[in-house]
Amino acid sequence: MDAEAGVVGADQLPRRQYYMNLLLLAYQSFGVVYGDLSTSPLYVYKSTFAGKLRQYQDEETVFGVLSLIFWTFTLIPLLKYVTIVLSADDNGEGGPFALYSLLCRHAKLSLLPNQQAADEELSTYYRNGFAPRNGSAPWLRRFLEKHKKMRTVLLLIVLCGASMVIGDGILTPAISVLSSMSGLQVRATGLEHRSVVLLSCIVLVGLFALQHRGTQKVAFLFAPIVIIWLFSIGGIGLYNILHWNPNIYQALSPYYMVKFFRKTGKDGWIALGGILLSMTGSEAMFADLGHFTSASVRVAFVTVIYPCLILQYMGHAAFLSKNTFHMPTGFYDTIPEPVFWPVFVVATLAAVVGSQAVISATFSIVKQCHALGCFPRVKVVHTSRWIYGQIYIPEINWILMVLCVAVTVAFRDTTLIGNAYGIACMTVMLVTTFLMALIVIFVWQRNIVFALFFLVFFGSIEAVYLSSSLMKVPQGGWVPLVLAFIFMSVMYIWHYGLRRKYQFDLQNKVSMRSILSLGPSLGIVRVPGIGLIYTELVTGVPSIFSHFVTNLPAFHEVLVFLCVKSVPVPYVSPDERYLVGRIGPKEYRMYRCIVRYGYKDVQRDDDNFENMLVMSIAKFIMMEAEDASSSASYDIANEGRMAVITTTDDAGTPLAMRDFNGIADSLTTRSSKSESLRSLQSSYEQEYPSVSRRRRVRFEVPEDDDMGQQVKDELMALVEAKHAGVAYIMGHSYIKARRSSSFLKKFAIDVGYSFLRKNCRGPSVTLHIPHISLIEVGMIYYV
């Protein structure tokens, strides 16, 4: 009996821990995910009744609007996102690019040709239970994979969604903060509107100025603000229902939607542009999924978000049904006077929280775009040591701030900003619906009928709302369209330039026969040291290598062709990050190393990178020696074979690594460097203290009788080269369109891509390459 009780207790403990963690994540999700969605009541009714619907200020119209809000909120956020879309996460990540990366892995839809078969062996590459041969609609897969134009259209759709998310990052802070600050005019009647706009701009500038501190600490404090806000508006809604119109529950019947459209006709259809604002922020549930679990986001929505917001919308409608003259002034008139100022303070803080969530999502989507080759190089700062993926991008932050303040000052009206906001949100939702239909077919491997039903049902609802929003393009709706066009152009031109450059490298590779004809010395002097040659090619020797050999009088004894590439998965395990292979015969001392990152991985300035690289190559040499087939003479047919090298496991490590700080070690290590070079390095370390603080190690080849002499010699050569120094060799490329190219291509390459390349961060800065060790050789690409 006691033994059974002990087993049950042990079984309950993990379950209790699971539920505790689930509730903790659900609590934290309020501060990050739901800030935007929870502040929608500030402006929904005001925007809905802002147009010609003012002519229908009666109880029946209010009931119809509430019925539309209720069913819209139930069908899109609850049914579509919470029930279905949250199940389509990419290893815990959400958003348009997460869906696109899933599609690129489960069907060959990517336009970048640098994918390898070894990438498919990553543990996070395929979804659990996926079987490539069991996919539904194989004809659709073949059609998309065969036609490049269709894959380009798919990429443009994804870029459109990403651009609209960036647009949300501009419009959400503007409408949220301006709506909350406008409550001052309800009590301070003498306050001019321009003063409200000025106060809103001050709050917005302060919000963006604090972004560099990161959201890790602030996000935890944001959760109680949103929870207090939700219970406040839920309580106020319940009070208004009981006080003004207890029969408001009847409006939940779809019958009132039919009556609404019969009565209002076209005016009611145009008013949908205001009603859709009730579900803005739904996309954030999916886009910000990375820090939480789908279960925690669902729990928070079903238990708190949904009931509190429905109560608020019902209470607001009950108030308006008996006070139709208050329709233009919005949310703050529904607040009982004794609690007005506390609710106003909480509303202002909640608006800031909602803005923070969307700004963080914008940083995340830009990082994803950059990792997948669709955004120029920008500075990415990792703001938290504990929560992985929380980032800050200075350039994007200040661009968002300027545009956000400009929108606030230019429009000064939440209705006009709401028109722009609605178009941006509905476009993102439509993109998600389209991508989800493809996910159902290619990833979930369900019948195409289910995908069509999902696309038609939710797509038709969102298309109706979008069509209503597009009617308001002259009244502010043009803003997201212009912003989306600019960001899409930037992203596609950058992606196109990278793709053309890679194709040029691929078509102009140096043949292995020409390298073999040069002999082990490569026709030049080989000097002590390791030369890391950066290339984007994953196979073969890039054409720029022959440019190096022509322009440099000597080359390093050990050459490593290093490719740092992104793969379409969120994260790559450190044990799967390094791929190492050999180029040419062993006596050439030429290796290839591919370092793989996911689109959510942050490439930090890793002090230990050089040491990890040397250890990885040493492990590869040992693995190759243990393989019986590798002991044979060099065969050009085996060129390109690579092995995954684990870096966290010390087992099988052929080199001993120890820290050194003694004088003898230092003298030994620097003996091959001239006095002037040592002086230059000393001054460089004084200027950049982070370099001098780097871990300095010394490698040693242990005395092992089981190790072959050839292997020992190769390891000794590698160790001596590392102690002599590491040089980073990079091509400084200029890309130009051929004279025979079309005008559009010349404009895209010679003007667009050239402008972006000159004004973005250099590759050496992005890769954290120390300037003192960098060698650059210029080269022109004619594509």
Side-chain angles (χ1 to χ4, degrees):
M1 186 74 176
D2 293 338
E4 287 184 7
V7 171
V8 172
D11 182 56
Q12 287 178 344
L13 189 61
R15 187 179 300 176
R16 185 181 302 170
Q17 186 66 35
Y18 167 77
Y19 287 121
M20 289 294 292
N21 291 337
L22 180 66
L23 291 177
L24 179 62
L25 287 172
Y27 164 77
Q28 292 177 336
S29 70
F30 287 104
V32 177
V33 175
Y34 291 116
D36 186 12
L37 189 64
S38 64
T39 53
S40 296
L42 287 170
Y43 42 78
V44 169
Y45 281 101
K46 181 180 179 181
S47 297
T48 302
F49 287 98
K52 293 183 179 181
L53 211 63
R54 288 180 182 176
Q55 303 170 8
Y56 307 89
Q57 294 187 5
D58 53 53
E59 183 175 299
E60 188 176 295
T61 304
V62 173
F63 273 45
V65 169
L66 175 60
S67 183
L68 280 166
I69 290 175
F70 172 76
W71 286 105
T72 298
F73 198 75
T74 301
L75 290 175
I76 302 300
L78 180 61
L79 183 59
K80 176 189 168 184
Y81 279 95
V82 173
T83 307
I84 302 174
V85 175
L86 287 182
S87 301
D89 64 292
D90 182 11
N91 295 287
E93 297 299 325
F97 260 94
L99 295 178
Y100 180 65
S101 68
L102 266 177
L103 289 171
C104 289
R105 300 202 307 267
H106 294 79
K108 297 177 181 177
L109 303 180
S110 177
L111 289 172
L112 282 178
N114 67 341
Q115 303 304 313
Q116 301 170 272
D119 296 339
E120 299 180 19
E121 298 174 6
L122 290 169
S123 57
T124 55
Y125 196 84
Y126 286 119
R127 192 179 180 89
N128 290 336
F130 175 79
R133 296 181 181 179
N134 298 336
S136 61
W139 59 270
L140 180 59
R141 181 195 301 269
R142 287 194 298 269
F143 176 76
L144 292 175
E145 291 177 352
K146 182 180 178 181
H147 293 84
K148 184 179 177 181
K149 289 183 179 179
M150 292 296 101
R151 287 180 284 142
T152 303
V153 169
L154 178 63
L155 176 64
L156 288 173
I157 291 173
V158 175
L159 293 183
C160 177
S163 300
M164 288 297 182
V165 171
I166 298 173
D168 282 349
I170 297 167
L171 298 170
T172 299
I175 191 172
S176 298
V177 173
L178 187 58
S179 296
S180 64
M181 298 303 291
S182 63
L184 288 170
Q185 291 181 294
V186 175
R187 291 293 183 265
T189 53
L191 188 66
E192 295 184 3
H193 188 64
R194 61 183 180 183
S195 300
V196 173
V197 174
L198 178 61
L199 288 173
S200 301
C201 291
I202 293 172
V203 172
L204 288 171
V205 171
L207 173 65
F208 284 101
L210 291 174
Q211 290 301 311
H212 70 281
R213 295 186 176 273
T215 60
Q216 191 269 328
K217 293 180 180 178
V218 185
F220 195 84
L221 298 175
F222 279 171
I225 293 173
V226 176
I227 291 173
I228 293 170
W229 164 251
L230 285 166
F231 283 118
S232 298
I233 62 176
I236 291 170
L238 184 62
Y239 166 80
N240 285 328
I241 291 171
L242 298 175
H243 185 265
W244 293 106
N245 193 347
N247 295 323
I248 196 69
Y249 71 89
Q250 297 175 1
L252 303 185
S253 169
Y255 170 70
Y256 284 93
M257 285 194 294
V258 179
K259 289 184 69 176
F260 173 79
F261 285 115
R262 281 180 181 172
K263 181 177 181 179
T264 59
K266 183 181 177 182
D267 295 336
W269 170 62
I270 294 175
L272 291 176
I275 293 171
L276 69 85
L277 295 177
S278 63
M279 56 181 171
T280 55
S282 302
E283 189 69 27
M285 281 192 293
F286 187 47
D288 287 332
L289 189 60
H291 305 311
F292 308 98
T293 61
S294 56
S296 63
V297 173
R298 286 182 173 122
V299 166
F301 185 88
V302 173
T303 58
V304 179
I305 298 291
Y306 187 80
C308 286
L309 288 179
I310 292 298
L311 280 174
Q312 165 56 31
Y313 288 127
M314 290 177 66
H316 199 153
F319 175 84
L320 291 179
S321 67
K322 303 301 181 183
N323 302 273
T324 54
F325 56 89
H326 280 290
M327 285 181 181
T329 51
F331 167 80
Y332 284 102
D333 286 318
T334 68
I335 302 175
E337 189 169 350
V339 296
F340 175 84
W341 288 111
V343 173
F344 170 76
V345 173
V346 176
T348 304
L349 294 173
V352 173
V353 173
S355 305
Q356 176 64 55
V358 178
I359 294 168
S360 300
T362 304
F363 292 155
S364 180
I365 200 77
V366 169
K367 170 68 173 65
Q368 293 179 24
C369 293
H370 165 63
L372 295 176
C374 295
F375 205 88
R377 292 180 292 267
V378 289
K379 182 180 181 180
V380 178
V381 180
H382 202 247
T383 58
S384 173
R385 295 181 181 178
W386 300 278
I387 300 181
Y388 200 78
Q390 287 198 353
I391 57 173
Y392 164 68
I393 304 176
E395 298 95 327
I396 299 300
N397 183 65
W398 302 124
I399 291 173
L400 290 181
M401 186 194 76
V402 171
L403 292 176
C404 186
V405 171
V407 166
T408 306
V409 172
F411 288 143
R412 303 185 180 189
D413 184 7
T414 55
T415 302
L416 295 177
I417 301 175
N419 295 339
Y421 189 32
I423 291 178
C425 290
M426 290 315 305
T427 304
V428 176
M429 289 184 180
L430 264 175
V431 169
T432 300
T433 301
F434 174 74
L435 293 176
M436 271 301 302
L438 295 179
I439 291 289
V440 172
I441 298 171
F442 296 136
V443 181
W444 291 356
Q445 299 182 325
R446 298 288 186 265
N447 195 294
I448 194 172
V449 174
F450 293 105
L452 288 175
F453 178 77
F454 180 89
L455 181 63
V456 171
F457 181 75
F458 291 108
S460 59
I461 296 173
E462 291 161 357
V464 169
Y465 277 109
L466 181 61
S467 65
S468 170
S469 297
L470 291 174
M471 293 296 293
K472 300 179 180 180
V473 167
Q475 292 85 38
W478 56 270
V479 172
L481 300 179
V482 172
L483 291 174
F485 176 77
I486 293 172
F487 284 112
M488 275 185 68
S489 299
V490 168
M491 289 191 281
Y492 186 75
I493 287 174
W494 183 260
H495 181 79
Y496 178 75
L498 286 183
R499 201 166 73 238
R500 298 299 299 178
K501 181 176 179 293
Y502 187 88
Q503 289 170 350
F504 179 90
D505 276 335
L506 203 61
Q507 295 165 3
N508 294 275
K509 290 190 296 186
V510 180
S511 69
M512 280 306 302
R513 298 191 184 278
S514 62
I515 291 178
L516 292 175
S517 66
L518 295 174
S521 67
L522 300 177
I524 53 176
V525 178
R526 302 290 289 268
V527 296
I530 296 178
L532 296 183
I533 303 173
Y534 278 85
T535 175
E536 294 175 3
L537 287 182
V538 293
T539 59
V541 177
S543 58
I544 203 166
F545 177 69
S546 59
H547 208 56
F548 288 147
V549 174
T550 305
N551 288 274
L552 298 177
F555 235 55
H556 299 82
E557 184 180 4
V558 175
L559 295 178
V560 181
F561 290 86
L562 184 65
C563 174
V564 179
K565 77 166 190 173
S566 294
V567 288
V569 297
Y571 305 101
V572 176
S573 166
D575 280 338
E576 299 177 313
R577 193 176 303 283
Y578 288 86
L579 275 174
V580 180
R582 187 186 294 280
I583 298 177
K586 294 181 179 180
E587 58 269 20
Y588 279 57
R589 303 288 190 262
M590 294 169 63
Y591 308 93
R592 180 188 307 284
C593 181
I594 298 174
V595 186
R596 301 179 292 186
Y597 289 94
Y599 59 79
K600 291 286 284 186
D601 281 323
V602 176
Q603 300 178 26
R604 301 182 183 181
D605 184 5
D606 194 352
D607 299 347
N608 207 28
F609 174 73
E610 292 178 6
N611 302 329
M612 296 279 283
L613 188 65
V614 171
M615 293 296 285
S616 299
I617 295 173
K619 282 187 176 183
F620 169 76
I621 293 171
M622 289 297 295
M623 288 174 60
E624 191 182 43
E626 293 169 1
D627 185 4
S629 62
S630 67
S631 60
S633 59
Y634 173 74
D635 185 359
I636 197 170
N638 293 329
E639 189 68 38
R641 292 177 58 185
M642 304 192 74
V644 178
I645 306 297
T646 59
T647 56
T648 57
D649 185 12
D650 292 335
T653 302
L655 300 180
M657 184 170 65
R658 64 184 179 88
D659 295 325
F660 79 96
N661 49 18
I663 298 175
D665 282 338
S666 181
L667 290 174
T668 305
T669 305
R670 297 192 180 186
S671 59
S672 62
K673 298 179 180 178
S674 65
E675 186 67 31
S676 58
L677 184 58
R678 276 182 281 170
S679 174
L680 181 62
Q681 181 170 355
S682 176
S683 60
Y684 180 79
E685 290 175 354
Q686 290 176 4
E687 186 176 353
Y688 299 94
S690 60
V691 176
S692 61
R693 289 196 300 266
R694 288 186 173 183
R695 183 188 180 193
R696 294 179 179 176
V697 301
R698 184 167 182 80
F699 292 98
E700 293 178 350
V701 180
E703 295 294 334
D704 189 353
D705 296 335
D706 296 334
M707 188 183 298
Q709 187 60 41
Q710 188 178 13
V711 174
K712 189 176 293 185
D713 290 344
E714 190 169 5
L715 290 175
M716 283 297 299
L718 179 65
V719 168
E720 290 173 1
K722 171 63 175 72
H723 294 163
V726 178
Y728 296 81
I729 305 163
M730 181 173 288
H732 194 83
S733 56
Y734 298 88
I735 302 177
K736 293 185 177 295
R738 292 193 182 99
R739 292 182 179 179
S740 58
S741 302
S742 64
F743 171 77
L744 196 61
K745 182 178 177 180
K746 286 181 178 178
F747 180 81
I749 296 295
D750 295 344
V751 179
Y753 184 79
S754 178
F755 174 80
L756 294 173
R757 187 189 60 79
K758 290 176 181 176
N759 289 278
C760 72
R761 293 171 68 84
S764 61
V765 179
T766 307
L767 296 168
H768 309 291
I769 297 174
H771 297 300
I772 196 171
S773 305
L774 177 63
I775 301 173
E776 285 190 290
V777 176
M779 184 174 179
I780 298 178
Y781 288 73
Y782 287 99
V783 297

